Amino acid sequence: MSVQIKQLEQTGYLIDLAVQNGVNRVSNVQFQVDNSEKFEEQALSNALKDAVTKAGVLGRTMNTTISSIPIRIKEFRSDGPVLYKTMAFSQAQTPIEPGQIIIQAALEATFNY
């Protein structure tokens, strides 16, 4: 059985309520970001901007001009957002430590010079 809630602060209360009503196993509690695609696209855009900036630095260091438009881009896919536990909160008996979700993007870009 799966339960989804939007009020994160209610997670501990919901677990306690389920146990009080006969549930004897709670597992695989997951936290997700709504509209994660938007944040993944932003991370990917930032990764490409970083690659272009670094290519320019390398070109200036080598006293040559490197094209700011990559000739090849390869994206490295991750398994999804990474959850970092950073804080604990709950007024229920069951403590919940949701933390912070980090969305990352990685790519390899090839430039002409």
Side-chain angles (χ1 to χ4, degrees):
M1 182 172 145
S2 174
V3 176
Q4 294 182 5
I5 61 171
K6 298 258 185 205
Q7 295 81 18
L8 199 57
E9 67 279 356
Q10 296 294 316
T11 306
Y13 169 76
L14 186 61
I15 291 171
D16 289 345
L17 184 62
V19 170
Q20 289 170 8
N21 286 285
V23 171
N24 59 8
R25 182 176 159 185
V26 177
S27 63
N28 202 22
V29 177
Q30 295 180 356
F31 298 95
Q32 297 176 333
V33 175
D34 283 342
N35 302 319
S36 63
E37 297 86 15
K38 176 179 83 170
F39 299 108
E40 290 166 1
E41 289 173 3
Q42 183 180 3
L44 190 58
S45 177
N46 289 341
L48 181 57
K49 289 176 186 175
D50 186 53
V52 170
T53 299
K54 288 178 179 177
V57 168
L58 293 173
R60 287 188 295 279
T61 301
M62 296 184 306
N63 290 324
T64 189
T65 301
I66 293 181
S67 173
S68 62
I69 300 172
I71 58 170
R72 183 167 100 38
I73 300 172
K74 179 180 178 183
E75 179 184 3
F76 296 99
R77 302 294 286 169
S78 67
D79 292 336
V82 178
L83 176 64
Y84 291 96
K85 292 182 180 179
T86 58
M87 60 184 234
F89 72 89
S90 181
Q91 294 178 345
Q93 289 181 330
T94 302
I96 303 298
E97 296 182 20
Q100 182 179 27
I101 294 177
I102 304 295
I103 297 176
Q104 301 175 333
L107 56 82
E108 179 182 286
T110 304
F111 297 86
N112 273 336
Y113 64 96

